[in-house]
Amino acid sequence: MPDTSPATPVDFWFDPLCPWAWMTSRWVLEVEKVRDIEVRWHLMSLAVLNEDKLDELPAEYREMLEVKAWGPVRVVIAARQEHGAEVLGDLYTALGTRIHNRGEGPGKETVAAALKDVGLPESLMEHWDSTPYEPELRASHEEGIEKVGQEVGTPVIAVPGPDGEEIAFFGPVVTPAPKGEEAARLWDGTLAVASVPGFYEIKRSRTKGPDFSNL
């Protein structure tokens, strides 16, 4: 008999501004093709994450957060609140493709074009400078970041573990996004190490920047 059990839910928190989260998200969608998982998208915010420590950040990164980081997440949370969580996956794909793959950056024209790509109303751009949905944005952000702690960023992934306990982790940070069975092997290994109680970190210095060539 065919397996009729539901796919394993994988909750993924993203900020559309982050190129590393973008590649991780494309990897997870590749995993969805070869493992029985279903990705559920959630919004987090690098602007919210860093708002209390701006003075400690390099000037260039601080300026990026202050100038570029708020508008896109305000529009995305408005889309989620007004049109449902199911729009997030397609909207993130449209945003990431334009911002990162095509190098258009996260400006107003790019975000407006991404809304059009997925059939969402341009009126959502009215939330760019401020939004009544900021409490929902912060709640979504906190839901993800509380699973892994304040010392990390985006993406955050959470998945049910084999014993019923939730496994949550930041990353993985990888470039380029693995495909096919390589994607599956990374998924299996990531879950294996993340499921060990007391395991916290594997890390090595990054020698390459984000590589979008296979996306």
Side-chain angles (χ1 to χ4, degrees):
M1 294 180 61
D3 184 5
T4 59
S5 59
T8 300
V10 174
D11 291 294
F12 190 108
W13 279 262
F14 69 93
D15 183 321
L17 200 66
C18 180
W20 298 101
W22 170 243
M23 277 188 296
T24 304
S25 73
R26 301 309 94 180
W27 161 68
V28 167
L29 288 179
E30 191 73 13
V31 174
E32 201 174 41
K33 301 175 184 177
V34 291
R35 292 290 185 268
D36 191 20
I37 67 170
E38 180 181 6
V39 184
R40 303 187 301 198
W41 304 100
H42 308 268
L43 190 62
M44 67 180 298
S45 168
L46 292 171
V48 172
L49 181 69
N50 291 285
E51 64 183 346
D52 294 331
K53 48 190 174 186
L54 288 175
D55 291 342
E56 304 169 16
L57 300 175
E60 184 177 358
Y61 189 59
R62 182 173 65 248
E63 181 181 4
M64 183 275 293
L65 291 175
E66 293 175 331
V67 175
K68 299 179 179 180
W70 280 106
V73 292
R74 286 173 177 147
V75 173
V76 173
I77 196 62
R80 190 250 183 264
Q81 293 304 116
E82 296 182 6
H83 299 276
E86 61 272 14
V87 306
L88 288 182
D90 288 344
L91 180 54
Y92 184 27
T93 292
L95 285 166
T97 299
R98 286 183 173 275
I99 293 171
H100 303 298
N101 294 6
R102 300 181 187 175
E104 295 179 12
K108 282 187 175 182
E109 290 185 2
T110 297
V111 176
L115 292 174
K116 185 177 181 179
D117 289 341
V118 296
L120 288 170
E122 188 178 358
S123 59
L124 289 167
M125 292 299 298
E126 296 172 5
H127 296 267
W128 183 269
D129 292 313
S130 65
T131 179
Y133 302 122
E134 184 168 323
E136 288 80 4
L137 169 61
R138 291 179 179 274
S140 180
H141 172 87
E142 289 302 326
E143 183 186 8
I145 208 69
E146 284 177 2
K147 297 177 183 296
V148 290
Q150 296 290 331
E151 293 79 25
V152 302
T154 176
V156 170
I157 296 176
V159 60
D163 58 358
E165 293 292 326
E166 184 178 65
I167 300 170
F169 49 90
F170 159 71
V173 176
V174 60
T175 186
K179 301 289 187 178
E181 281 304 312
E182 185 182 19
R185 288 195 301 271
L186 178 58
W187 177 254
D188 295 341
T190 299
L191 292 189
V193 296
S195 65
V196 175
F199 176 84
Y200 295 108
E201 188 172 353
I202 288 178
K203 191 170 184 178
R204 55 187 173 190
S205 297
R206 299 181 199 177
T207 58
K208 293 177 60 178
D211 179 356
F212 309 123
S213 61
N214 67 343
L215 299 181

